[in-house]
Amino acid sequence: MPVELKENQCQVVMVGCGAPNRGMGWYHAVQMLEGRCPSAALCYVVEPWFLGPGAEGPGGPEFAAWRKEAEEKHGVEFFSAVADLPALPDGVKRLALISGRTADNPKFLSQCIEAKCSSIYLEKPGAPTVAELEAMRDEAKASNVTVLMGYNKNVCKFVRKAREYQEANGGTITFVSNNAYENTPESLGECFERNREGMLKNMAIHELALLVSFFDVTVENIESCEADKEFSSCQTLKGPSGSDFTDFDKIKFTIKTKTGKEVSVQADRCGGSVSWAMVEKDGKEVFRHSMPDEEDNANVAALEKKYPGAMPYFFSQDPDYVTVKERVAANCATGAEATGIATIDIGVETLRVAEYLTPTLQKQLA
């Protein structure tokens, strides 16, 4: 039985779900099906890979089992292409949540506009290149479609707490982002290939969005960018395909702006499951707030039991994913302001900064 929309809900189309326990889209879907985003009714899932050539491959059987459960328990309908979606009923607002491979996003955005989506939640970084994301922004504006970005750290508690401390007490902020990949050539090679856009356009793009949103960082306003050579590492490794991929496995850098601001970013693929923001004064750490913090740990433990084997970062950032989705969905359904959510304009500048910094930092580490 199809999903029935309640009052002040929008119809949500998930585009690019991915495999259970691994795909970001899958976790977004799970949160909506649990009713944690009251303004969002997940009605449709579009999954070209697992409903096509990937059906029998790795993750295919798990996706099929999850699909059966979502259809039977929740009435969600599944399609292999956006073009197959049913017509939009009169008076209904349709939100697309695009969480596919970055290279597919420009095509998906065009298709979602064709499918009468009035709003689009676009997962980071949005597109492989600045030029493609600018074209997507312009296409959406021409069609009067709102595009908001899934930069969840913009609404994170640990970011807010560090910014509040700095505003009251001064000092310099460092944003630290960690993942829990094994520190082996095989594990990192697989990571480099799967996230071939590179660390600054993938894992650390959230931190760059913070710099753009709150610290006046633009390509034109960067006075200097200096890598911490002692901490940082850039490697060329073979991915599962046998091809070589060059990327940072860890990077730390400090940016000074022409308008007098200073901020640092540290990212480590193999640094563990805890990220944080810290404030330093005179070279000494005076404040730190972590994600997850003590308040979050109980939720993380419960989610680990509920979804064994899922990506650890899903759990540590779980409340923030809900916040971003709910604000975007409420904006689509009722026009409520999406407070703190990054626009596609911020997304474009963030990607510009990533494209500027990658060769700059690689050159410093060569």
Side-chain angles (χ1 to χ4, degrees):
M1 191 167 166
V3 177
E4 282 190 28
L5 264 65
K6 298 173 184 164
E7 192 179 358
N8 295 332
Q9 276 192 325
C10 62
Q11 181 191 91
V12 179
V13 181
M14 166 65 63
V15 183
C17 182
N21 286 343
R22 292 197 69 78
M24 187 69 248
W26 168 80
Y27 199 67
H28 282 312
V30 163
Q31 290 186 323
M32 288 186 281
L33 293 177
E34 289 176 346
R36 296 178 63 196
C37 306
S39 302
L42 180 61
C43 299
Y44 308 116
V45 171
V46 177
E47 176 45 59
W49 177 248
F50 288 120
L51 295 177
E56 305 300 323
E62 292 84 355
F63 180 83
W66 179 75
R67 172 192 178 178
K68 188 169 184 288
E69 182 186 338
E71 287 175 331
E72 291 175 358
K73 281 191 182 175
H74 303 284
V76 178
E77 296 177 61
F78 285 73
F79 302 93
S80 61
V82 176
D84 297 334
L85 288 169
L88 184 67
D90 289 342
V92 172
K93 300 280 189 165
R94 179 177 278 178
L95 166 68
L97 198 164
I98 300 177
S99 187
R101 290 190 320 127
T102 301
D104 294 331
N105 286 354
K107 170 184 71 181
F108 285 150
L109 181 126
S110 297
Q111 293 170 353
C112 290
I113 292 172
E114 282 282 315
K116 302 288 187 269
C117 295
S118 55
S119 296
I120 292 173
Y121 175 128
L122 184 61
E123 267 299 355
K124 52 83 182 170
T129 66
V130 170
E132 287 168 290
L133 193 58
E134 286 176 332
M136 292 163 72
R137 174 196 63 194
D138 296 345
E139 180 184 0
K141 281 183 180 173
S143 301
N144 200 28
V145 170
T146 300
V147 182
L148 297 166
M149 305 287 296
Y151 283 118
N152 60 286
K153 287 186 181 175
N154 277 34
V155 301
C156 270
K157 177 170 45 174
F158 81 103
V159 171
R160 185 183 75 250
K161 296 272 190 188
R163 289 179 58 225
E164 287 171 353
Y165 182 93
Q166 185 201 36
E167 282 167 19
N169 301 283
T172 305
I173 290 185
T174 299
F175 294 109
V176 178
S177 175
N178 287 319
N179 276 172
Y181 290 95
E182 288 180 53
N183 194 359
T184 64
E186 294 76 22
S187 176
L188 286 171
E190 187 276 335
C191 171
F192 285 10
E193 179 165 347
R194 182 161 42 85
N195 303 298
R196 64 188 66 196
E197 59 266 30
M199 182 191 262
L200 293 187
K201 286 188 178 181
N202 183 273
M203 175 184 168
I205 195 83
H206 284 283
E207 283 63 41
L208 298 188
L210 294 174
L211 272 51
V212 171
S213 299
F214 304 123
F215 293 88
D216 299 341
V217 172
T218 64
V219 171
E220 289 75 19
N221 197 33
I222 292 174
E223 178 81 44
S224 66
C225 174
E226 190 173 333
D228 181 332
K229 294 179 183 176
E230 219 171 295
F231 178 89
S232 304
S233 168
C234 184
Q235 299 188 57
T236 298
L237 298 170
K238 286 198 184 302
S241 67
S243 299
D244 286 339
F245 294 87
T246 300
D247 198 4
F248 306 106
D249 54 287
K250 54 182 182 174
I251 185 73
K252 184 177 182 183
F253 58 89
T254 299
I255 286 178
K256 293 180 180 177
T257 69
K258 293 172 184 174
T259 46
K261 295 199 174 176
E262 181 177 332
V263 62
S264 297
V265 170
Q266 176 180 310
D268 188 345
R269 297 275 194 197
C270 308
S273 298
V274 179
S275 297
W276 63 86
M278 63 181 180
V279 180
E280 293 174 291
K281 288 178 85 170
D282 303 320
K284 291 181 181 175
E285 182 179 325
V286 292
F287 177 88
R288 176 185 294 210
H289 199 99
S290 298
M291 177 188 73
D293 62 12
E294 286 181 22
E295 188 183 350
D296 301 328
N297 280 332
N299 185 45
V300 170
L303 290 168
E304 284 172 343
K305 283 184 184 172
K306 194 171 185 180
Y307 301 108
M311 300 299 280
Y313 65 84
F314 290 168
F315 307 146
S316 59
Q317 301 180 53
D318 169 82
D320 306 311
Y321 295 142
V322 170
T323 298
V324 175
K325 273 197 299 297
E326 174 55 23
R327 289 182 188 175
V328 174
N331 177 261
C332 178
T334 68
E337 188 178 348
T339 307
I341 308 304
T343 63
I344 193 168
D345 288 314
I346 286 173
V348 167
E349 190 55 46
T350 299
L351 207 50
R352 288 185 74 227
V353 170
E355 288 192 358
Y356 170 80
L357 291 180
T358 297
T360 301
L361 293 168
Q362 284 178 338
K363 192 174 175 184
Q364 291 182 29
L365 298 180

